């Protein structure tokens, strides 16, 4: 972060405290103000003060004021098939977005295989409800979470038909997310009822598609891309997971699943390629232990992906 950006954030914080979130993209400055509980006069006064504090020569300033309920945008993380690391990507993307300044929540919509409670180190917790509305569970990483894994007994199979899964998804998404402005939604693999419900009822701002490099996974990833495109949901980009394995003993890099297939598929489909996540034992071990790598200061894998997603949201 540059010194000028630090000074900008300090100037905005001096007049708005924790009510304002600042993001800088090139010559564009975006500020979101949470005006919950303020009357019209106080809101107008705060907006004017923040605009003045954020104004910089040769920069475009955009100030958005929210009240009571923030404008919440959903990011669907999807894959055409299981086993490609979609849930791990979802958890780390949510954490990286939060570390970059977005008020991010995480919905584990993988009804039949919820894994986010373990990934986010809140296994065994249960959400409370207020007036029949669920309250997300706080996690150690500043990302509130709701998952079916918090609502059923561990190890219990969820044998539900389409309408029941759709209802469950609605309860998770329509929970009391407070001032959260971004929801990362970890969808189940495939192109079935849950995905259709998400597209039709909850309308994601965009979708991130996860695939491994091999041909079979890419065939299914193209189906997922096709589903969102036909439904009019923009594709933010494609992530290639399990891309390259570095031997911990000799350092030699091999590609057991191939390399570059997802990038080529993204180019072919005319969508952005967001980056590669290596086939790294450390990522798997840390994730299983509820210690997502994106939470570490030395993360160089997930932060660049989150940066591109945040830039896309800022531009759209």
């Amino acid at each position: 972060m540059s010194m000028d950006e630090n000074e900008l954030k300090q100037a905005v914080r001096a007049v708005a405290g924790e009510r304002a979130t600042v993001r800088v993209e090139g010559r564009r400055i975006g500020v979101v103000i949470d005006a919950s509980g303020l009357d019209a006069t106080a809101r107008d006064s705060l907006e004017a003060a923040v605009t003045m504090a954020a104004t910089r020569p040769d920069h475009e300033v955009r100030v958005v004021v929210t009240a009571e309920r923030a404008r919440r945008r959903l990011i669907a993380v999807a894959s055409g098939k299981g086993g490609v690391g979609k849930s791990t990507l979802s958890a780390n993307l949510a954490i990286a977005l939060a570390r970059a300044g977005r008020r991010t929540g995480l919905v584990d919509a993988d009804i039949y295989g919820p894994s986010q409670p373990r990934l986010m180190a809140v296994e065994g917790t249960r959400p409370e409800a207020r007036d029949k509305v669920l309250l997300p569970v706080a996690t150690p990483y500043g990302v509130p979470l709701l998952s079916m894994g918090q609502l059923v007994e561990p190890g219990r199979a969820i044998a539900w038909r389409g309408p029941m899964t759709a209802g469950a998804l609605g309860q998770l998404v329509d929970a009391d997310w407070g001032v959260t402005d971004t929801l990362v939604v970890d969808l189940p693999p495939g192109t079935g009822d849950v995905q259709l419900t998400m597209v039709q009822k909850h309308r994601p701002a965009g979708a991130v598609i996860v695939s491994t490099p091999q041909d079979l996974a890419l065939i299914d990833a193209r189906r997922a891309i096709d589903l969102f495109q036909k439904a009019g949901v923009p594709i933010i980009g494609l992530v290639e997971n399990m891309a390259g394995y570095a031997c911990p003993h000799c350092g030699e890099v091999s590609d057991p699943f191939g390399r570059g297939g997802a990038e080529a598929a993204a180019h072919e489909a005319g969508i952005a390629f967001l980056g590669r996540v290596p086939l790294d034992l450390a990522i798997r071990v840390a994730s299983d232990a509820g210690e997502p790598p994106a939470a570490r200061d030395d993360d160089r894998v997930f932060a660049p992906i989150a940066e591109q997603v945040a830039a896309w949201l800022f531009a759209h």
Side-chain angles (χ1 to χ4, degrees):
M1 184 183 296
S2 68
M3 180 61 68
D4 287 345
E5 190 171 338
N6 268 322
E7 292 175 352
L8 168 65
K9 292 187 175 183
Q10 290 172 4
V12 171
R13 187 175 291 112
V15 298
E18 297 300 321
R19 286 185 176 272
T21 301
V22 180
R23 182 161 185 85
V24 179
E25 295 287 344
R27 295 191 175 277
R28 290 192 295 182
I29 300 171
V31 185
V32 177
I33 302 173
D34 174 24
S36 299
L38 302 180
D39 60 26
T41 300
R43 284 200 302 270
D44 291 344
S45 176
L46 180 60
E47 181 179 4
V50 167
T51 301
M52 183 176 297
T55 299
R56 293 292 183 276
D58 301 321
H59 282 71
E60 174 189 352
V61 179
R62 181 185 178 193
V63 177
V64 177
V65 180
T66 66
E68 299 302 332
R69 187 168 181 172
R71 182 195 175 204
R72 194 163 298 122
R73 307 183 75 188
L74 274 59
I75 302 171
V77 180
S79 65
K81 64 177 297 180
V84 299
K86 172 184 52 58
S87 292
T88 299
L89 188 281
S90 297
N92 283 280
L93 174 61
I95 292 170
L97 285 170
R99 287 173 62 87
R102 299 193 71 91
R103 295 170 177 169
T104 309
L106 178 60
V107 173
D108 188 357
D110 195 343
I111 302 295
Y112 303 111
S115 55
Q116 292 299 348
R118 170 170 290 191
L119 289 168
M120 299 295 287
V122 289
E123 207 168 13
T125 61
R126 293 182 65 85
E128 297 180 355
R130 182 189 299 126
D131 298 327
K132 298 183 179 180
V133 177
L134 290 174
L135 302 176
V137 171
T139 71
Y141 309 110
V143 176
L145 167 70
L146 278 177
S147 167
M148 280 304 300
Q150 298 166 320
L151 302 176
V152 299
E153 297 175 10
R156 179 184 173 187
I158 304 176
W160 289 354
R161 295 186 183 275
M164 293 183 69
T165 63
L169 176 60
Q171 287 187 321
L172 301 180
V173 174
D174 294 331
D176 183 359
W177 290 99
V179 297
T180 297
D181 58 36
T182 306
L183 278 185
V184 175
V185 183
D186 178 14
L187 290 175
T191 53
D193 288 332
V194 176
Q195 291 85 349
L196 291 173
T197 297
M198 170 59 66
V199 169
Q200 294 169 354
K201 292 189 176 181
H202 303 288
R203 201 63 185 177
V208 173
I209 310 299
V210 184
S211 178
T212 51
Q214 70 263 44
D215 291 341
L216 286 177
L218 289 167
I219 290 171
D220 292 322
R222 290 185 181 97
R223 292 193 183 101
I225 291 170
D226 185 59
L227 170 72
F228 287 105
Q229 288 180 332
K230 285 181 177 177
V233 175
I235 304 295
I236 299 173
L238 184 63
V239 174
E240 183 174 83
N241 196 17
M242 306 182 192
Y245 172 73
C247 175
H249 303 293
C250 68
E252 182 179 352
V253 177
S254 59
D255 298 291
F257 296 112
R259 181 180 175 85
E263 184 172 8
H267 180 75
E268 177 186 325
I271 64 177
F273 180 67
L274 300 178
R276 295 182 173 88
V277 178
L279 183 61
D280 190 334
L281 179 62
I283 292 177
R284 197 274 297 170
V285 171
S287 297
D288 285 351
E291 300 172 356
R296 298 198 302 253
D297 292 337
D298 62 352
D299 169 44
R300 298 294 182 269
V301 175
F302 298 102
I305 295 173
E307 182 178 344
Q308 293 180 76
V309 173
W312 187 94
L313 289 170
F314 189 82
H316 294 79

